[in-house]
Amino acid sequence: MEKSVISQFFNDRSIFVTGSTGLMGKVLVWKLLYSCPGIKKIFVLIRSKRGKSALLRYQEIIKAPLFDSIRKTNKSLLSKLQVVCGDVGLEGLGISEEMKEKLISEVSIVFHGAATLNLDASLNEAINLNTTGTLRMLEFCSNMKKLEAFVHFSTAFCHVDLETLNEEVHKSAFDAHNIMRLPSWLDENSIKMVTPHLINPHPNTYTFSKRLAEDVVSDFYPQLPVAIARPSIVTPALKEPLPGWVDNLNGPTGILAAGGKGVLRSILCNSEYTAEAVPVDFAINAVIVIAWKTAITKQKTTAVPVYNLTQHNLNPITWETVMTKGREETMKNPFELMLWYPTGSLTSNRFLHTYKVICYHWIPAYLIDGILFLFGQKRFMIRVQQKISDGLRVLQYFTLRNWDFTNDRLLALRESLCDVDRKEFNMDFEKMDMDAYFRDCILGARQYCLKEDPASIPKARKTLK
């Protein structure tokens, strides 16, 4: 019987993962344990946050539903995880000297996914975590005695000035090191004032800082075995670890959930444009395969290998289809508490969108909160609409443009896999059943994000009728 070449490659190797508390990081850790059980150790870098220690945050993660399959079949695999207390935002990564020595002597594969995904982050914060944080990681990993692959998680939206994004690094007009030194000679208010001019044409500090991070990574090639993975919008899981699994309401998932709840009535979007998205399990399968390919490739290319983790033209889907299918599945599997009938519309007309937002978002929100105030109840609708407004403002830059990402290198990588690995590390965009996927997305958002019991669906259907 044919065995997985990639799974065997990871046998007895130690891995270092940053960003393990995020959507992609959690699925990456799960997939490594599930599909590469011979792995020696997975070191996960976790920082303390909001009063919770790194260890406590780690314990909360492994209690999540996505690890149920591992707990039921082979709980001992979880003992291969080891928490590393640290933070890419700190000098020296905030890691103890003893742990540093252990990582330097044992780790051979690094997945660097730690970043702030806050599109409204200040330039200081975005640069410190996304750009300087990447530099700190690369400098630290330069000391690793067994390093075979360093996979950097970037984003397909980091080169907004290009009509077509090929699988290569395009140097920024700015020197990344000069930008990283800004806080040393400019105060925070001054940086805030120049930010819009500095990041132009980028819509936010996130894509700007990720672009600079790519420059930093490319500077370490070929001295280090680095590779860059660029996922587009990451959406709920297709199959693994659970169909529809997701841990946040960012992006399209939030739109579908808000529309299903009846609190989102209008979106500024060109309905005919393609929604460039990738299921989280496809993205994670790709980065694992990229790590394997980077490690076994002895003949280095002239430039750092870049992989666009995008479906491109394999199975294109428009924003109109996203909304239509989302609405259909919401009608079949409605949410528990709906404030309005789950409909909504897309428009690229800013005036019409503004009119609808005032009439259908803000006026009802003030009315509902006003009634709650009169009855001495806790008000929430204005706060909800403010969150939706902030989310739409950030998202509309991406929904009003048609993105073109080539993925030739990713497809060549996929075609190079043996049958077992192609099935185990699935990236077959063409074979996605969109109807089933949207159903799982709605059910996933309902169960994992909004904590609504699947058993309540029959009652919710009656309420909807």
Side-chain angles (χ1 to χ4, degrees):
M1 185 179 174
E2 194 177 10
K3 291 184 178 180
S4 167
V5 175
I6 295 172
S7 178
Q8 287 183 313
F9 165 80
F10 278 96
N11 285 350
D12 298 320
R13 279 179 166 83
S14 290
I15 319 297
F16 186 28
V17 178
T18 72
S20 60
T21 57
L23 174 65
M24 289 184 69
K26 290 173 185 173
V27 179
L28 172 61
V29 170
W30 177 88
K31 184 64 176 177
L32 287 171
L33 290 175
Y34 184 81
S35 294
C36 309
I39 220 160
K40 184 179 178 183
K41 206 75 158 171
I42 302 177
F43 295 96
V44 289
L45 183 74
I46 302 179
R47 59 175 172 160
S48 55
K49 190 177 180 181
R50 297 189 188 119
K52 290 182 180 177
S53 67
L55 191 59
L56 184 60
R57 292 183 72 200
Y58 155 78
Q59 288 169 345
E60 287 179 351
I61 290 167
I62 61 171
K63 286 177 184 174
L66 81 159
F67 286 101
D68 285 350
S69 55
I70 289 177
R71 273 194 297 272
K72 288 173 184 174
T73 56
N74 193 353
K75 193 176 181 180
S76 62
L77 288 174
L78 294 174
S79 65
K80 293 175 183 275
L81 295 175
Q82 182 164 348
V83 177
V84 177
C85 299
D87 185 348
V88 297
L90 300 175
E91 288 302 324
L93 303 173
I95 302 173
S96 69
E97 289 303 317
E98 184 184 351
M99 180 55 75
K100 279 183 180 178
E101 288 176 19
K102 193 171 187 180
L103 293 170
I104 287 168
S105 62
E106 294 184 26
V107 170
S108 55
I109 308 290
V110 177
F111 294 98
H112 176 49
T116 175
L117 303 182
N118 178 10
L119 303 189
D120 280 332
S122 68
L123 184 61
N124 258 357
E125 182 188 359
I127 293 295
N128 182 45
L129 293 174
N130 299 350
T131 312
T132 313
T134 300
L135 176 62
R136 292 181 186 118
M137 275 294 295
L138 286 161
E139 288 175 341
F140 173 64
C141 293
S142 298
N143 300 313
M144 289 180 174
K145 297 168 185 175
K146 300 178 181 178
L147 186 65
E148 295 175 279
F150 179 107
V151 182
H152 170 68
F153 293 16
S154 186
T155 172
F157 301 99
C158 65
H159 295 278
V160 297
D161 51 327
L162 302 176
E163 286 189 15
T164 298
L165 180 59
N166 298 318
E167 291 172 298
E168 57 186 272
V169 171
H170 300 271
K171 285 280 185 180
S172 169
F174 294 102
D175 183 299
H177 293 272
N178 285 341
I179 300 296
M180 287 187 276
R181 282 193 289 266
L182 275 181
S184 66
W185 59 277
L186 270 183
D187 61 49
E188 199 164 334
N189 284 336
S190 300
I191 292 175
K192 199 172 182 179
M193 284 175 62
V194 301
T195 293
H197 306 286
L198 210 55
I199 70 173
N200 187 55
H202 290 266
N204 51 61
T205 57
Y206 171 71
T207 59
F208 177 69
S209 59
K210 293 298 269 186
R211 179 173 190 166
L212 294 176
E214 287 197 359
D215 289 353
V216 172
V217 173
S218 67
D219 287 343
F220 278 79
Y221 185 85
Q223 301 93 309
L224 292 185
V226 294
I228 295 172
R230 289 185 187 141
S232 52
I233 298 172
V234 180
T235 53
L238 178 71
K239 294 291 181 188
E240 295 179 327
L242 296 161
W245 187 82
V246 66
D247 69 348
N248 65 70
L249 291 174
N250 296 335
T253 309
I255 289 175
L256 296 178
K261 288 281 191 180
V263 293
L264 178 60
R265 317 296 296 169
S266 178
I267 302 170
L268 191 60
C269 172
N270 190 316
S271 59
E272 296 176 1
Y273 285 170
T274 302
E276 270 292 352
V278 55
V280 63
D281 42 345
F282 277 19
I284 290 308
N285 289 341
V287 297
I288 292 173
V289 175
I290 290 167
W292 163 77
K293 183 67 175 178
T294 303
I296 65 165
T297 302
K298 303 305 175 191
Q299 190 70 36
K300 300 297 180 186
T301 54
T302 53
V304 57
V306 179
Y307 299 83
N308 289 343
L309 313 187
T310 61
Q311 57 86 10
H312 193 42
N313 293 321
L314 297 175
N315 196 354
I317 183 170
T318 64
W319 285 109
E320 179 66 44
T321 307
V322 169
M323 290 302 292
T324 302
K325 288 189 179 293
R327 192 182 301 120
E328 288 172 357
E329 293 305 326
T330 302
M331 293 297 193
K332 295 174 188 174
N333 302 288
F335 294 94
E336 285 179 9
L337 176 64
M338 291 167 284
L339 297 173
W340 207 332
Y341 200 72
T343 57
S345 60
L346 305 176
T347 179
S348 55
N349 185 312
R350 289 182 184 272
F351 175 80
L352 184 59
H353 171 68
T354 303
Y355 169 78
K356 287 183 175 181
V357 166
I358 292 169
C359 293
Y360 303 134
H361 289 188
W362 289 111
I363 291 177
Y366 276 97
L367 282 172
I368 291 170
D369 272 9
I371 293 168
L372 290 172
F373 174 74
L374 291 174
F375 283 92
Q377 301 295 313
K378 188 177 180 182
R379 291 164 288 173
F380 66 94
M381 270 309 298
I382 293 173
R383 190 174 68 252
V384 167
Q385 280 302 341
Q386 189 59 59
K387 281 188 176 182
I388 290 172
S389 179
D390 291 342
L392 290 179
R393 178 179 49 80
V394 164
L395 196 64
Q396 69 190 31
Y397 181 88
F398 303 98
T399 57
L400 288 170
R401 286 188 60 175
N402 215 15
W403 302 89
D404 185 22
F405 307 122
T406 63
N407 59 359
D408 298 335
R409 186 178 274 124
L410 176 70
L411 295 185
L413 182 64
R414 185 182 75 175
E415 297 305 316
S416 71
L417 301 180
C418 66
D419 290 342
V420 172
D421 281 332
R422 182 151 180 176
K423 185 177 179 182
E424 187 64 36
F425 300 94
N426 180 27
M427 294 177 266
D428 289 330
F429 292 95
E430 308 93 321
K431 296 178 182 177
M432 283 179 66
D433 180 340
M434 285 300 178
D435 290 331
Y437 181 59
F438 274 90
R439 181 192 65 236
D440 291 336
C441 284
I442 294 296
L443 293 174
R446 197 181 187 281
Q447 181 178 353
Y448 304 120
C449 294
L450 300 174
K451 311 301 180 188
E452 296 183 1
D453 191 338
S456 68
I457 291 176
K459 184 180 178 183
R461 287 176 184 150
K462 289 179 182 177
T463 303
L464 181 64
K465 286 181 181 178

